[in-house]
Amino acid sequence: MSDLFRPVTVGRYELPNRLFMAPMTRSRADERGRVDGVVAEYYAQRASAGLIITEGIQPTVRGQGYILTPGLHSEEQVEAWRGVTGAVHDRGGRVFAQLMHSGRVGHPCLYEDGGLPVGPSAIASGQSLFDGSGMVPHPVPRAMTADDIREAVDGFAAAARNAVAAGFDGVEVHGANGYLVHQFLADGANHRTDAYGGSASARSRFAVEAVDAVADAIGADRTGLRISPGNTFNGITESDTDGQYLTLLSALAHRSDLAYLHIMETGARELTERLRKEWKGTLVLNTGSKMDTAPAAKVLEEGLADAVALGTAWLANPDLDARIRAGGPFNEPHRATFYGGDHRGYTDYPTLAGA
């Protein structure tokens, strides 16, 4: 496990270890997208991660895809996040905000104007969301116009500036898990015939523009991108995953100065290996191993990644690094408290010192 605890340079930062905390939606914001003190404590408890990547944060009003998720598009949201970043920094940590525009994964109940969610094409996800009382199907989204696309790209940049104003060390553009950037990449969700669809190169354009806008706004060395090739979450289908993501990385070759590329591995390891060869910058890998930390250590040993991101293991073990060094024991996650609720299953997992 020694490779997990070697320092690593990520963008402008020298980080103390390669054991990152992956983004995980926890749905603890209020109805105005503001976080509070319990959220600050949750992240501060995990400040020993080499880098914390937050839950998905909507960059715009229309970017929201779930109830009780936080935003970074209003001054009151920015002010609320200052309490989180300050708490993490007080404990010596670093934290990036993950910017997540949900695209077609949304519902009129989430928006004050009652409008439709938007997507690259008028194709529903086939999935549902919880509206506070029950499950409701995602509607057919409104296909984005050229103005809508520009507004979404500008929204990513504005939210990135807000993140820096809120004290975040950088941002991660969420291009995975079936949300808007992924929808543009996936030919099952993107049937456009303009400059944003019809070929792997055109389907990559929105992702590249979003990354460029954020990098131009706050610096490439404070900008990350997350992708999940082959991930079918939220109704995504891809007819040529390998070709699409190799094309995307080729289109991002001018951005090898990004802080990192974050791959959520949901497909074949062979593709991860090919993407690793293609990407000249720092690569963070999430193997999807949940509570098992051994695969994370192995990919570092093999040189497949520069750092690894774990989700569930950090959720249940705020002192995960100390537990790995000690060889355990590890807390088991309480899945019933993953989304929504209060401090239970959120900030009350014990540490080794407090067990």
Side-chain angles (χ1 to χ4, degrees), residues 318-332:
D319 57 345
L320 180 62
D321 58 321
R323 290 177 181 270
I324 291 174
R325 289 180 188 273
F330 298 93
N331 299 321
E332 287 298 317

Side-chain angles (χ1 to χ4, degrees), residues 307-324:
V308 292
L310 294 174
T312 307
W314 273 112
L315 182 154
N317 297 277
D319 57 345
L320 180 62
D321 58 321
R323 290 177 181 270
I324 291 174

